[in-house]
Amino acid sequence: MSIRKWYLVHKWTSLICTAFLLMLCITGLPLIFHEEIEHLSGVVEAPPMPEDTPYASLDKVAEAAHKQRPGDVIRFMFWEQDEHPHVTLVSMAESMDAPPDAGKVVLIDSRTAKVLDEPPPDRGFMYVMLKLHVDMFAGLPGMLFLGFMGLLFAVAIVSGIVLYHPFMRRLDFGTIRREKQARLKWLDVHNLLGVATLVWALVVGLTGTINTLSQIVIFIWQSDQMAEMIAPYKGLPAPKNLGSLQASMETAQQAIPDMHPSFVAFPGSMFSSPHHYTVFMKGNTPVTSRLLKPALVDAQTTKLTDAREVPWYVKTLLLSQPLHFGDYGGLPLKIIWTLLDLITIVVLGSGLYLWLQRRKQTDKRISELEQKHAAMAGGKP
């Protein structure tokens, strides 16, 4: 492909995605520090107790949640030990098939089974930032659209790399021509910062695109592996009486002893079947803590039905999430992610500025040619 064609690819892919990428970079900044912002906002935490204080039975935790919201059903229980130690978060709704955003979360002390808080639905600043970043308040179509913008961004990066080599043949790497006009100085800044951040930008752009496919990936997993695991229960009526949740959790822990619970999907919920508690276990390292392994436990007998590694496409999705937000390496990595995000904003903004300046110069040249042509036409006898 000729340099001119590469230039056109870079120009139009950049122009189409720039406005949306700027929005994603800006909304992504507070999301990098969502844990710290939550703590500053006064989230209720479990009171201090001796480290060896035993955890209460999950059956008592479920009972406390039902007393708090007697008309609702429990869909999920999950734990975030790094963010909320010794707290069980219970997601409840009016029915199992209620929309995801219609649920309520009850915070329960994992040791005493006492309700700590029932925070109102988050509709504040962080909620708006998250929704804009994930789907622009447009649901799955919005997610897929932003995923397409991520692909265009990746193409813009690759085409920019191709163009950078011939552009820099006569200049030393990192040269910024300060003595030249503003447009050339910004062109040098745009190229230098773009090359300096290209690996990070490519990783974040591609992982962001993968994340937009989360609902599709979940549907494929449900239709594939999940359907195979629950096949023996096909056609059977849903149980009316459920067995012990605590016993089901112990069954899952015995089946996968080298991992610990991340969350439990209750029978009939999105990640389970009408016949099972699905206990999702996670690893103990920064990387493996992002990978989940489901254990299906019969909700009546509390016996293990199946436990398997998730397929490669689910692992790809799970690993893309921490790479996208940089939240697997503590505060230092978050600061690095923030700096790279700010630099990317400069790259995108400078690219838009260069296009506008070039368009102004083109319009000026066209206007001068039109005036010259009109003058020549007027001078004819």
Side-chain angles (χ1 to χ4, degrees):
M1 188 183 292
S2 67
I3 293 298
R4 176 171 176 77
K5 290 181 179 179
W6 277 113
Y7 167 75
L8 291 174
V9 169
H10 184 71
K11 172 184 174 181
W12 289 110
T13 53
S14 300
L15 284 176
I16 293 171
C17 73
T18 290
F20 298 99
L21 263 296
L22 279 171
M23 181 271 292
L24 291 172
C25 287
I26 293 170
T27 57
L29 283 172
L31 295 177
I32 294 173
F33 297 97
H34 72 94
E35 297 175 12
E36 290 77 8
I37 292 173
E38 283 183 5
H39 284 295
L40 290 175
S41 63
V43 175
V44 176
E45 300 292 353
M49 289 185 181
E51 287 296 325
D52 57 352
T53 302
Y55 277 14
S57 167
L58 291 181
D59 296 315
K60 291 185 177 180
V61 173
E63 182 181 349
H66 281 302
K67 287 181 179 179
Q68 180 71 13
R69 300 189 61 83
D72 288 0
V73 296
I74 299 176
R75 295 196 290 188
F76 307 102
M77 276 188 189
F78 52 101
W79 298 268
E80 299 172 345
Q81 290 297 337
D82 293 335
E83 300 179 35
H84 307 289
H86 312 302
V87 175
T88 300
L89 296 90
V90 184
S91 176
M92 307 183 71
E94 294 181 356
S95 64
M96 286 295 181
D97 55 357
D101 58 357
K104 303 283 187 179
V105 175
V106 180
L107 278 61
I108 298 178
D109 191 314
S110 302
R111 300 155 300 179
T112 64
K114 292 182 179 179
V115 174
L116 297 171
D117 193 17
E118 185 185 337
D122 184 4
R123 294 295 185 268
F125 172 75
M126 291 299 293
Y127 172 78
V128 174
M129 292 296 101
L130 179 63
K131 290 295 290 181
L132 285 173
H133 194 86
V134 171
D135 62 14
M136 300 187 300
F137 292 91
L140 181 58
M143 292 179 69
L144 296 179
F145 177 80
L146 290 177
F148 180 61
M149 292 300 104
L151 286 178
L152 289 182
F153 183 48
V155 174
I157 292 172
V158 173
S159 57
I161 296 171
V162 174
L163 294 172
Y164 186 74
H165 178 261
F167 173 80
M168 292 300 296
R169 278 184 300 190
R170 298 181 181 180
L171 297 172
D172 293 331
F173 177 80
T175 298
I176 297 179
R177 293 167 288 182
R178 295 180 176 85
E179 72 283 357
K180 300 293 184 179
Q181 56 181 305
R183 183 179 178 277
L184 288 178
K185 287 188 290 187
W186 273 110
L187 177 61
D188 293 339
V189 170
H190 176 82
N191 290 333
L192 175 60
L193 295 181
V195 168
T197 60
L198 67 90
V199 173
W200 178 86
L202 194 59
V203 168
V204 171
L206 291 176
T207 54
T209 298
I210 293 171
N211 289 339
T212 63
L213 302 175
S214 59
Q215 293 187 27
I216 296 175
V217 169
I218 291 170
F219 175 77
I220 294 173
W221 174 75
Q222 290 172 327
S223 305
D224 178 21
Q225 188 182 74
M226 184 68 170
E228 185 177 332
M229 294 169 75
I230 64 174
Y233 293 80
K234 187 175 181 180
L236 296 178
K240 295 182 179 179
N241 299 311
L242 302 181
S244 169
L245 174 60
Q246 180 64 36
S248 299
M249 173 62 73
E250 292 171 358
T251 297
Q253 290 175 316
Q254 291 172 5
I256 314 175
D258 55 338
M259 305 178 80
H260 62 275
S262 176
F263 72 96
V264 179
F266 275 59
S269 63
M270 181 178 181
F271 297 104
S272 191
S273 80
H275 306 274
H276 294 90
Y277 290 111
T278 305
V279 182
F280 286 86
M281 309 292 283
K282 64 180 181 180
N284 302 301
T285 68
V287 174
T288 60
S289 65
R290 305 292 175 166
L291 295 174
L292 300 176
K293 184 174 182 179
L296 269 68
V297 180
D298 189 298
Q300 279 187 303
T301 66
T302 71
K303 301 297 183 182
L304 182 70
T305 296
D306 204 341
R308 304 184 187 181
E309 296 281 348
V310 292
W312 65 268
Y313 52 85
V314 178
K315 289 183 179 179
T316 301
L317 173 65
L318 294 174
L319 289 175
S320 72
Q321 294 170 348
L323 283 175
H324 186 72
F325 287 105
D327 60 355
Y328 60 91
L331 186 60
L333 188 62
K334 291 184 180 183
I335 293 174
I336 293 173
W337 244 241
T338 300
L339 294 174
L340 291 169
D341 193 324
L342 291 171
I343 293 173
T344 302
I345 291 175
V346 175
V347 173
L348 293 169
S350 59
L352 187 59
Y353 164 79
L354 292 170
W355 177 74
L356 291 173
Q357 289 298 110
R358 186 180 183 89
R359 186 173 181 181
K360 286 181 180 179
Q361 291 182 1
T362 302
D363 291 343
K364 183 178 179 181
R365 290 173 185 170
I366 292 174
S367 178
E368 290 174 351
L369 288 173
E370 288 177 343
Q371 291 176 5
K372 184 177 180 179
H373 178 76
M376 292 177 61
K380 288 184 178 181

